[in-house]
Amino acid sequence: MLDATLIERALERTGKSKGGLAVAMGVRAGAVSEILSGIRLIKASEIDAIVEYLELNLIPIMGRVGAGASIEPEYEQVPPEGLGEVELPFPIWEETIAFEVSGDSMLPKYENGDVIVVYREQRHPLSSFYGEEAAVRLKSGERYLKTIERGSSTGVVNLKSFNAKPINGVKLEWIGEIALTLPRGQIARLRGKASKSRKTAKGGRNTEK
């Protein structure tokens, strides 16, 4: 939900100004302060401008998650800023991050190159995830995309795949609840559209000079 708290956090995160946001929205300078203080409501016609200016539809891909492949973060060649970003056609929750699927053990539901958007922090107890697919990190550090099944003792789980042998008797350090799945074909289209939009905007700016 787009609200004053989300806007305020986005201004701080991006380092952008209330004045710049007002210009992007096409409103007087004081309107943004009124929104943040609860005096003024956000108009439906202003949502797209707010989302674009504050980059609320950009989500970072922070690494890969194994669907057959074993992803060991200490050996993973990923820059600190991640593998790039995916620009979505709608605002996304700021408490989410994304991972690229690596491997084919979860076919046909998840393909190599798909992206899953997960909650950054684990929000529910382990037992609530039994029988559910999720991104997981083992106590030993590896990351996987698997179905979580109850193990033989408390705190121990079995990780099931659609097309590979299970990983039995492991302990989890973190569970990333899946909020959204983006097929790799859709990601390519979104990136193509975003690139085209940036080129159009750049061309427009050059024309005005």
Side-chain angles (χ1 to χ4, degrees):
M1 180 180 178
L2 188 59
D3 58 16
T5 301
L6 184 59
I7 291 173
E8 195 164 19
R9 288 177 180 171
L11 285 168
E12 182 178 351
R13 173 178 56 82
T14 60
K16 295 184 176 181
S17 66
K18 291 187 287 186
L21 178 56
V23 171
M25 294 169 62
V27 298
R28 57 187 176 80
V32 174
S33 294
E34 291 173 358
I35 289 172
L36 296 179
S37 62
I39 298 174
R40 181 185 183 281
L41 296 177
I42 300 169
K43 297 178 181 178
S45 60
E46 297 167 345
I47 292 176
D48 286 347
I50 295 172
V51 169
E52 182 176 355
Y53 182 76
L54 295 178
E55 303 173 4
L56 293 173
N57 58 341
L58 294 180
I59 185 163
I61 302 177
M62 299 309 297
R64 295 180 177 87
V65 62
S70 175
I71 305 301
E72 301 182 29
E74 61 267 33
Y75 300 113
E76 190 179 18
Q77 298 300 308
V78 176
E81 65 274 15
L83 296 174
E85 296 173 323
V86 177
E87 183 173 340
L88 303 177
F90 47 82
I92 192 68
W93 309 276
E94 61 179 356
E95 64 267 24
T96 56
I97 55 175
F99 290 99
E100 183 179 296
V101 176
S102 178
D104 57 8
S105 72
M106 296 299 281
L107 282 172
K109 190 167 184 179
Y110 302 95
E111 294 188 13
N112 184 64
D114 288 353
V115 167
I116 57 170
V117 179
V118 304
Y119 288 97
R120 187 185 300 270
E121 302 295 336
Q122 183 175 327
R123 308 185 306 161
H124 305 290
L126 169 63
S127 59
S128 69
F129 290 99
Y130 292 152
E132 185 175 326
E133 296 136 22
V136 299
R137 183 172 64 244
L138 275 57
K139 291 283 188 181
S140 52
E142 300 96 324
R143 277 199 308 266
Y144 293 100
L145 169 61
K146 300 292 182 183
T147 301
I148 302 172
E149 299 287 355
R150 186 191 301 272
S152 58
S153 59
T154 303
V156 172
V157 301
N158 301 325
L159 301 177
K160 300 294 182 66
S161 300
F162 297 144
N163 300 297
K165 293 181 179 180
I167 301 173
N168 294 324
V170 294
K171 291 189 175 183
L172 303 181
E173 185 176 66
W174 169 81
I175 300 172
E177 181 182 356
I178 298 175
L180 183 68
T181 302
L182 299 170
R184 59 183 181 181
Q186 184 180 7
I187 293 168
R189 288 189 292 272
L190 288 170
R191 284 175 170 164
K193 183 178 179 181
S195 177
K196 185 177 180 181
S197 296
R198 284 192 290 271
K199 288 179 180 178
T200 301
K202 184 177 180 180
R205 287 195 296 271
N206 291 338
T207 301
E208 292 172 1
K209 289 183 178 179

